[in-house]
């Protein structure tokens, strides 16, 4: 049985990467899971990939987050960007000031290869965003699906405005519940950083267009600021990545 084209592209795109790419624990973890799935796909009787979102199972947070009954999964995306912070003075604690990120479609991965979500999130944090907005995210060749920003200090926005991407409208949300990230979460690129931002449950506001009712930010990597503002500017950003689940 031939293995999935998706899995093959994940492996070959990495192998074709420039030789300057460093071998890191995140890269090793990614390869381990990809090749595990390739071997399973070669086994007789292995079910073919279907991209059926009804099969996707969302991870459970260390402190379980609410899940309203009757919701249906409509999209899963990898977010890659920055968490923004401000500082009043050198002795202050950094204050959260929103985030900016690009979202890439991982719906089929969530449905068929769920063990890849965390490795892909970790690996994304160690790779730069594409220079051109429409380009795929390396090394997994993920396609752009949405943009994330804040319309004010308390309103995360997810704009599904990418031509040819999912048509989920513009999702305006507010923070519901949160959980600390797992102790094993990647603290930052190469494992160096101040920790992974919280896992979140977001509810939608009345200004939302489309049918989305809930958004979950899970599998976070990086994004936490230092404990104090010492040696930091009045405004600064910390790179992060995460997997976002959209439910209607």
């Amino acid at each position: 049985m031939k293995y999935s084209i998706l899995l093959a592209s994940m492996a070959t795109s990495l192998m074709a990467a420039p030789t300057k790419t460093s071998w890191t624990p995140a890269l090793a973890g990614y390869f381990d899971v990809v090749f595990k799935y390739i071997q399973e796909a070669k086994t007789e009787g292995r079910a073919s990939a279907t991209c059926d979102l009804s099969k996707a199972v969302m991870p459970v947070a260390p402190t379980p987050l609410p899940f309203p009954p009757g919701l249906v999964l409509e999209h899963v995306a990898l977010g890659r960007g920055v968490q923004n912070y401000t500082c009043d003075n050198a002795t202050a604690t950094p204050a959260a000031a929103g985030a900016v990120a690009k979202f890439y479609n991982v719906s089929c991965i969530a449905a068929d290869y769920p063990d890849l979500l965390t490795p892909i999130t970790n690996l994304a944090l160690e790779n730069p965003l594409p220079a051109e907005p429409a380009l795929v995210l390396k090394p997994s060749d993920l396609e752009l699906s949405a943009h994330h920003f804040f319309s004010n200090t308390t309103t995360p926005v997810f704009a599904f405005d990418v031509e040819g991407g999912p048509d989920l409208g513009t999702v305006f949300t507010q923070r519901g519940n949160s959980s600390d990230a797992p102790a094993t979460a990647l603290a930052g690129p190469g494992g160096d950083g101040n920790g992974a931002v919280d896992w979140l449950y977001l509810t939608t506001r009345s200004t939302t267009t489309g049918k989305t009712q809930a958004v979950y930010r899970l599998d976070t990597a990086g994004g936490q600021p230092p404990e104090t503002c010492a040696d930091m500017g009045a405004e600064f950003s910390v790179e992060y990545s995460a997997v976002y689940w959209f439910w209607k």
Side-chain angles (χ1 to χ4, degrees):
M1 178 184 297
K2 292 184 178 181
Y3 54 80
S4 164
I5 293 175
L6 174 62
L7 288 173
S9 67
M10 287 178 177
T12 56
S13 62
L14 268 176
M15 291 175 177
T19 55
K20 66 180 180 180
T21 300
S22 300
W23 188 261
T24 66
L27 185 59
Y30 176 90
F31 261 124
D32 285 346
V33 179
V34 167
F35 285 118
K36 181 197 77 169
Y37 277 122
I38 288 175
Q39 292 304 313
E40 290 180 358
K42 292 179 179 179
T43 303
E44 290 297 328
R46 168 75 183 186
S48 299
T50 62
C51 199
D52 180 0
L53 281 180
S54 68
K55 299 192 309 180
V57 179
M58 194 166 65
V60 176
T63 300
L65 300 171
F67 187 80
L71 294 182
V72 176
L73 184 61
E74 56 182 348
H75 186 63
V76 186
L78 168 65
R80 174 69 174 86
V82 295
Q83 296 285 321
N84 297 321
Y85 298 93
T86 60
C87 284
D88 289 336
N89 55 66
T91 60
T93 299
V100 177
K102 294 177 181 177
F103 278 25
Y104 296 86
N105 194 339
V106 292
S107 293
C108 291
I109 294 173
D112 296 311
Y113 311 110
D115 290 349
L116 272 173
L117 289 178
T118 297
I120 283 177
T121 305
N122 292 343
L123 194 57
L125 189 59
E126 299 187 343
N127 285 272
L129 286 170
E132 297 295 331
L135 294 181
V136 297
L137 180 66
K138 297 293 184 179
S140 303
D141 291 344
L142 303 176
E143 295 185 349
L144 188 68
S145 66
H147 296 91
H148 173 41
F149 55 92
F150 276 58
S151 61
N152 56 47
T153 56
T154 61
T155 306
V157 181
F158 307 91
F160 287 85
D161 53 3
V162 178
E163 184 176 357
D167 185 14
L168 274 63
T170 303
V171 183
F172 294 84
T173 65
Q174 57 197 347
R175 186 174 179 134
N177 297 62
S178 65
S179 168
D180 289 342
T184 55
L186 189 67
D192 296 324
N194 299 296
V197 288
D198 289 351
W199 291 24
L200 297 179
Y201 162 58
L202 306 172
T203 59
T204 53
R205 295 181 182 271
S206 60
T207 47
T208 291
T209 62
K211 299 179 180 180
T212 303
Q213 297 184 42
V215 181
Y216 292 81
R217 184 182 76 184
L218 310 175
D219 284 309
T220 55
Q224 286 283 19
E227 292 184 358
T228 74
C229 289
D231 301 320
M232 306 304 295
E235 299 179 351
F236 67 95
S237 299
V238 181
E239 295 195 29
Y240 90 106
S241 58
V243 177
Y244 290 77
W245 297 66
F246 293 83
W247 298 81
K248 63 181 179 180

